[in-house]
Amino acid sequence: MLNFTFHNTTRIHFGSDQIAKIKAEIPADAKVLMLYGGGSIKSNGVYQQVADALSDHTWFEFSGIEPNPSYDTLMKSLELIKAHDIDYLLAVGGGSVADGTKFVAAAACYQGEEPWDILAKGGKVEKALPLGVVLTLPATGSEMNANSVVTRGKDKLPFNSPKVRPAFAVLDPKVTLSLSDRQISNGVVDAFVHVIEQYLTYPVNAKVQDRFAEGLLQTLVEEGPKLLNSETKNDLDTRANVMWSATMALNGLIGSGVPQDWATHMIGHELTGSHGIDHARTLSIVLPAVMKIQKTQKRAKLLQYAERVWQITDGDDDSRIERAIAHTENFFSQMQVPVRLSEVNLGESDIDTLVEKLTQHGMLKLGEHGDITPEVSRKILQTAL
């Protein structure tokens, strides 16, 4: 196992009717800005629950944060923050709202030339406004980590800073009952690939992390499809297990002391940036191709994955690996997401631009070994056709 330091300060309030807890979480004298997306929280009752919890606070709201939050949209919130002397942020929504709010928290205090430099130039986040999250869509784990991804034009870039880790998060499975099948599918697949990026690398004898990761993968495989089945989709225990799996997938625990990959995400970001494809759907397209092209480098963990997650124990090594990859693709198809570029109307002619974007964004040595060059990324995209 590799050396590591693990520290996660986010307090979680999990379960039904927990939104009221935010009243005690946010200082009574704070001026709060609630940030949210397209307004679905008003139709499903979440907005009113938050408003009730903030009834003794001075608070304002900012709406319109998109999936793959836009830099230009987020920057508009800074005007409200300045005008009302806001000193606390509350993200109410899914991962995009949480990511966007983290960026706003950093941008509001940024002393550099322009806040985009945080993403484009690695500008250091010295200070950020405190924030909390009311999660409505389990997927990204953003409610319990220090990561954020923001889009500007065709550039989709990540940043990470402990200064933007949420102080608390509320996870109520009941609020997910209004999600569409597409949102459910995206969330389950996003969480699944988050686990894979930290698990499917090479062995370092990190048995605890491996078993945690395998348990999360098995839970998502077992429970995810139930949320697309009319007879089981409203089961709160199923929704609770998926919700907690998505949070645990990327709160830092299973990634401690192990090598990590993230090539699938970096290549996927270019698909979203250039073509507007849902984030999770880029991952379901790219991951199987990464498995195939990096089969040699990932051989030991692919065999472990085949046995422990898919119970594949017969046949020679190569056939077990191929079947594990096929099972992964079948699971994605079961979750109603694409596994080929052709399924989202992209072809060979689109690959050059995607590789150029990877190069432009400095994605020259991806993967756990740093051996996924732009040319290897090209092979991955060709394999994904």
Side-chain angles (χ1 to χ4, degrees):
M1 192 186 309
L2 308 178
N3 291 352
F4 67 90
T5 299
F6 176 70
H7 182 66
N8 193 315
T9 56
T10 303
R11 184 162 40 253
I12 298 293
H13 300 291
F14 191 99
S16 298
D17 306 317
Q18 295 290 293
I19 291 177
K21 293 283 181 69
I22 67 178
K23 179 177 182 177
E25 283 285 359
I26 300 175
D29 59 350
K31 292 183 178 179
V32 184
L33 181 63
M34 175 172 68
L35 300 95
Y36 58 98
S40 62
I41 62 169
K42 291 187 175 179
S43 60
N44 64 16
V46 172
Y47 179 94
Q48 189 58 52
Q49 290 182 66
V50 173
D52 290 344
L54 293 176
S55 59
D56 293 334
H57 287 80
T58 300
W59 65 281
F60 306 86
E61 61 184 87
F62 178 83
S63 64
I65 297 178
E66 312 89 342
N68 303 305
S70 161
Y71 174 79
D72 292 337
T73 298
L74 298 173
M75 288 298 289
K76 293 176 184 176
S77 71
L78 297 184
E79 299 168 15
L80 272 175
I81 290 171
K82 185 175 181 180
H84 299 291
D85 197 23
I86 299 294
D87 54 13
Y88 208 104
L89 305 181
L90 180 65
V92 183
S96 291
V97 173
D99 277 16
T101 301
K102 289 175 178 178
F103 173 74
V104 171
C109 303
Y110 190 61
Q111 298 297 312
E113 188 173 337
E114 69 162 342
W116 181 246
D117 290 346
I118 295 171
L119 298 134
K121 298 181 181 179
K124 190 173 182 181
V125 178
E126 302 280 0
K127 183 181 178 183
L129 294 178
L131 68 132
V133 177
V134 175
L135 186 69
T136 62
L137 198 169
T140 69
S142 189
E143 65 277 3
M144 201 179 181
N145 67 39
N147 307 325
S148 172
V149 181
V150 174
T151 299
R152 188 182 195 183
K154 292 189 175 183
D155 296 324
K156 182 177 179 179
L157 300 177
F159 84 98
N160 175 291
S161 170
K163 302 290 185 183
V164 299
R165 186 186 299 277
F168 71 91
V170 177
L171 281 65
D172 180 350
K174 281 203 305 188
V175 309
T176 71
L177 289 170
S178 61
L179 295 176
S180 68
D181 284 359
R182 188 182 186 97
Q183 289 172 313
I184 291 168
S185 293
N186 284 352
V188 170
V189 170
D190 198 6
F192 185 92
V193 180
H194 285 161
V195 179
I196 288 287
E197 295 273 37
Q198 302 163 88
Y199 168 77
L200 200 66
T201 55
Y202 57 87
V204 292
N205 200 24
K207 293 182 178 180
V208 172
Q209 293 91 322
D210 278 0
R211 293 295 190 186
F212 263 117
E214 290 153 1
L216 292 171
L217 294 171
Q218 289 175 320
T219 300
L220 292 166
V221 168
E222 290 171 6
E223 303 294 277
K226 293 179 185 177
L227 297 184
L228 301 179
N229 184 319
S230 60
E231 295 181 1
T232 53
K233 70 183 310 172
N234 292 330
D235 182 79
L236 285 179
D237 284 335
T238 298
R239 288 179 178 268
N241 278 304
V242 169
M243 191 173 225
W244 190 228
S245 293
T247 298
M248 293 296 291
L250 199 56
N251 68 357
L253 180 63
I254 65 168
S256 297
V258 298
Q260 301 184 25
D261 185 347
W262 301 106
T264 295
H265 270 71
M266 296 305 104
I267 297 171
H269 285 172
E270 303 305 344
L271 285 166
T272 298
S274 293
H275 300 284
I277 302 166
D278 296 7
H279 172 61
R281 283 161 157 73
T282 71
L283 304 180
S284 63
I285 291 168
V286 175
L287 176 63
V290 170
M291 289 175 162
K292 294 168 186 176
I293 293 298
Q294 296 296 98
K295 190 186 305 183
T296 299
Q297 294 89 333
K298 297 179 181 292
R299 189 175 185 82
K301 289 304 282 283
L302 275 166
L303 289 168
Q304 181 176 316
Y305 171 68
E307 178 179 351
R308 295 187 182 179
V309 176
W310 299 112
Q311 292 76 53
I312 300 170
T313 57
D314 61 316
D316 61 31
D317 288 359
D318 288 337
S319 70
R320 280 184 279 155
I321 288 172
E322 289 172 8
R323 285 154 60 197
I325 296 172
H327 275 59
T328 306
E329 291 180 325
N330 290 340
F331 169 61
F332 289 160
S333 295
Q334 191 178 9
M335 292 307 302
Q336 302 174 12
V337 295
V339 294
R340 296 287 183 274
L341 288 170
S342 58
E343 294 180 61
V344 292
N345 301 313
L346 296 182
E348 182 80 41
S349 61
D350 299 295
I351 292 177
D352 281 347
T353 300
L354 294 168
V355 174
E356 287 171 10
K357 279 291 186 181
L358 283 165
T359 303
Q360 177 185 326
H361 294 146
M363 305 300 169
L364 308 178
K365 295 181 178 180
L366 299 176
E368 63 270 26
H369 297 291
D371 59 353
I372 300 181
T373 63
E375 281 311 304
V376 176
S377 292
R378 181 186 300 279
K379 292 178 182 177
I380 289 168
L381 288 165
Q382 289 170 335
T383 300
L385 290 170

Coordinates of all heavy atoms in Angstrom, one line a residue, residues 102-135:
K102 N -18.7 25.4 -5.6 CA -17.3 25.4 -5.2 C -16.5 26.4 -5.9 O -15.6 27.1 -5.3 CB -16.7 24.0 -5.4 CG -17.2 22.9 -4.4 CD -16.7 21.6 -4.8 CE -17.2 20.5 -3.9 NZ -16.6 19.1 -4.3
F103 N -16.7 26.5 -7.2 CA -15.9 27.4 -8.0 C -16.3 28.9 -7.6 O -15.4 29.7 -7.4 CB -16.2 27.3 -9.5 CG -15.6 28.4 -10.3 CD1 -14.2 28.4 -10.5 CD2 -16.3 29.4 -10.8 CE1 -13.6 29.4 -11.3 CE2 -15.7 30.4 -11.5 CZ -14.4 30.4 -11.8
V104 N -17.6 29.1 -7.4 CA -18.0 30.4 -6.9 C -17.3 30.8 -5.6 O -16.9 31.9 -5.4 CB -19.5 30.5 -6.8 CG1 -20.0 31.8 -6.1 CG2 -20.2 30.4 -8.2
A105 N -17.3 29.8 -4.7 CA -16.7 30.0 -3.4 C -15.2 30.4 -3.5 O -14.8 31.3 -2.8 CB -16.8 28.7 -2.5
A106 N -14.5 29.8 -4.4 CA -13.1 30.2 -4.7 C -13.0 31.5 -5.4 O -12.2 32.4 -5.1 CB -12.4 29.1 -5.4
A107 N -13.8 31.7 -6.4 CA -13.8 32.9 -7.3 C -14.1 34.1 -6.5 O -13.5 35.2 -6.7 CB -14.7 32.7 -8.5
A108 N -15.0 34.0 -5.5 CA -15.4 35.2 -4.7 C -14.2 35.8 -3.9 O -14.2 37.0 -3.6 CB -16.5 34.8 -3.8
C109 N -13.2 35.0 -3.6 CA -12.1 35.4 -2.8 C -10.8 35.4 -3.6 O -9.7 35.7 -3.0 CB -11.9 34.4 -1.6 SG -13.4 34.3 -0.6
Y110 N -10.8 35.2 -4.9 CA -9.6 35.0 -5.7 C -9.0 36.4 -5.9 O -9.6 37.4 -6.3 CB -9.9 34.3 -7.0 CG -8.7 34.0 -7.8 CD1 -7.8 33.1 -7.3 CD2 -8.5 34.5 -9.1 CE1 -6.7 32.7 -8.0 CE2 -7.4 34.1 -9.8 CZ -6.4 33.2 -9.3 OH -5.3 32.9 -10.0
Q111 N -7.7 36.5 -5.7 CA -6.9 37.7 -5.9 C -6.1 37.8 -7.2 O -5.5 38.8 -7.4 CB -6.0 37.9 -4.7 CG -6.7 38.0 -3.3 CD -7.6 39.2 -3.2 OE1 -7.2 40.3 -3.5 NE2 -8.8 39.0 -2.8
G112 N -6.2 36.8 -8.0 CA -5.4 36.8 -9.2 C -6.1 37.6 -10.3 O -7.1 38.3 -10.1
E113 N -5.6 37.4 -11.5 CA -6.0 38.3 -12.6 C -7.5 38.0 -13.0 O -8.3 38.9 -13.1 CB -5.1 38.0 -13.9 CG -5.4 38.9 -15.0 CD -4.4 38.7 -16.2 OE1 -3.3 38.2 -15.9 OE2 -4.8 39.1 -17.3
E114 N -7.9 36.7 -13.1 CA -9.3 36.4 -13.3 C -9.5 35.0 -12.8 O -8.6 34.1 -12.9 CB -9.7 36.5 -14.8 CG -9.1 35.4 -15.7 CD -9.8 35.3 -17.0 OE1 -11.0 35.7 -17.1 OE2 -9.3 34.7 -18.0
P115 N -10.7 34.7 -12.3 CA -10.9 33.4 -11.7 C -10.7 32.2 -12.6 O -10.5 31.1 -12.1 CB -12.4 33.5 -11.2 CG -12.6 35.0 -10.9 CD -11.8 35.6 -12.0
W116 N -10.9 32.4 -13.9 CA -10.7 31.2 -14.8 C -9.3 30.7 -14.7 O -9.0 29.5 -14.9 CB -10.9 31.7 -16.2 CG -10.7 30.6 -17.3 CD1 -9.8 30.5 -18.2 CD2 -11.5 29.4 -17.4 NE1 -9.9 29.4 -19.0 CE2 -11.0 28.6 -18.5 CE3 -12.6 28.9 -16.7 CZ2 -11.5 27.4 -18.9 CZ3 -13.2 27.7 -17.1 CH2 -12.6 27.0 -18.2
D117 N -8.3 31.5 -14.2 CA -7.0 31.0 -14.0 C -6.9 29.9 -13.0 O -5.9 29.1 -13.0 CB -6.1 32.2 -13.5 CG -5.8 33.2 -14.6 OD1 -6.1 32.9 -15.8 OD2 -5.3 34.3 -14.3
I118 N -7.8 29.8 -12.1 CA -7.9 28.7 -11.1 C -7.9 27.4 -11.9 O -7.3 26.4 -11.5 CB -9.1 28.8 -10.2 CG1 -9.0 30.1 -9.3 CG2 -9.3 27.5 -9.3 CD1 -10.3 30.4 -8.5
L119 N -8.7 27.3 -13.0 CA -8.8 26.1 -13.8 C -7.8 26.0 -14.9 O -7.2 25.0 -15.1 CB -10.2 26.1 -14.4 CG -11.4 26.1 -13.4 CD1 -12.4 27.1 -13.7 CD2 -11.9 24.7 -13.2
A120 N -7.6 27.1 -15.6 CA -6.7 27.1 -16.8 C -5.2 27.1 -16.5 O -4.4 26.6 -17.2 CB -7.1 28.2 -17.7
K121 N -4.9 27.8 -15.4 CA -3.5 28.0 -15.1 C -3.1 27.4 -13.7 O -2.0 27.7 -13.2 CB -3.1 29.5 -15.1 CG -3.3 30.1 -16.5 CD -3.0 31.5 -16.6 CE -3.2 32.1 -17.9 NZ -2.8 33.6 -18.0
G122 N -4.0 26.7 -13.0 CA -3.6 26.2 -11.7 C -3.5 27.3 -10.7 O -2.7 27.1 -9.7
G123 N -4.2 28.4 -10.8 CA -4.1 29.5 -9.8 C -4.5 29.0 -8.4 O -5.5 28.3 -8.3
K124 N -3.7 29.3 -7.5 CA -3.8 28.8 -6.1 C -5.0 29.4 -5.4 O -5.2 30.6 -5.4 CB -2.6 29.0 -5.3 CG -2.6 28.2 -4.0 CD -1.3 28.3 -3.2 CE -1.3 27.5 -1.9 NZ -0.1 27.6 -1.2
V125 N -5.8 28.5 -4.8 CA -7.0 29.0 -4.0 C -6.5 29.2 -2.6 O -6.3 28.3 -1.8 CB -8.1 28.0 -4.1 CG1 -9.3 28.5 -3.2 CG2 -8.6 27.7 -5.5
E126 N -6.3 30.5 -2.2 CA -5.8 30.8 -0.9 C -6.9 30.9 0.1 O -6.7 30.6 1.3 CB -5.1 32.1 -0.9 CG -3.9 32.2 -1.9 CD -2.6 31.6 -1.3 OE1 -2.7 31.1 -0.2 OE2 -1.6 31.6 -2.0
K127 N -8.1 31.2 -0.4 CA -9.3 31.4 0.5 C -10.5 31.2 -0.3 O -10.6 31.3 -1.5 CB -9.2 32.9 1.0 CG -10.3 33.2 2.0 CD -10.2 34.7 2.5 CE -11.4 35.0 3.4 NZ -11.3 36.5 3.8
A128 N -11.6 30.7 0.4 CA -12.9 30.5 -0.2 C -14.0 30.7 0.8 O -13.8 30.6 2.0 CB -13.0 29.1 -0.8
L129 N -15.2 31.0 0.3 CA -16.3 31.2 1.2 C -16.7 29.8 1.6 O -16.6 28.8 0.9 CB -17.5 31.8 0.4 CG -17.4 33.2 -0.1 CD1 -18.6 33.7 -0.8 CD2 -17.1 34.2 1.1
P130 N -17.2 29.6 2.9 CA -17.7 28.3 3.3 C -18.9 27.9 2.6 O -19.7 28.8 2.2 CB -17.9 28.6 4.8 CG -18.2 30.0 4.9 CD -17.3 30.7 3.9
L131 N -19.2 26.6 2.5 CA -20.4 26.2 1.7 C -20.9 24.9 2.3 O -20.1 24.1 2.9 CB -20.1 26.0 0.2 CG -19.1 24.9 -0.2 CD1 -19.7 24.1 -1.3 CD2 -17.8 25.5 -0.6
G132 N -22.2 24.6 2.1 CA -22.8 23.4 2.3 C -23.6 22.9 1.1 O -23.7 23.7 0.2
V133 N -24.0 21.7 1.2 CA -24.7 21.1 0.0 C -26.0 20.4 0.5 O -25.9 19.6 1.5 CB -23.8 20.1 -0.7 CG1 -24.5 19.4 -1.9 CG2 -22.5 20.7 -1.2
V134 N -27.1 20.6 -0.3 CA -28.2 19.7 -0.2 C -28.3 18.9 -1.5 O -28.6 19.5 -2.5 CB -29.5 20.5 0.0 CG1 -30.8 19.6 0.0 CG2 -29.5 21.3 1.3
L135 N -28.0 17.7 -1.4 CA -27.9 16.8 -2.6 C -29.2 16.3 -3.1 O -30.0 15.8 -2.3 CB -26.9 15.7 -2.3 CG -26.6 14.8 -3.5 CD1 -25.7 15.6 -4.5 CD2 -25.9 13.5 -3.1

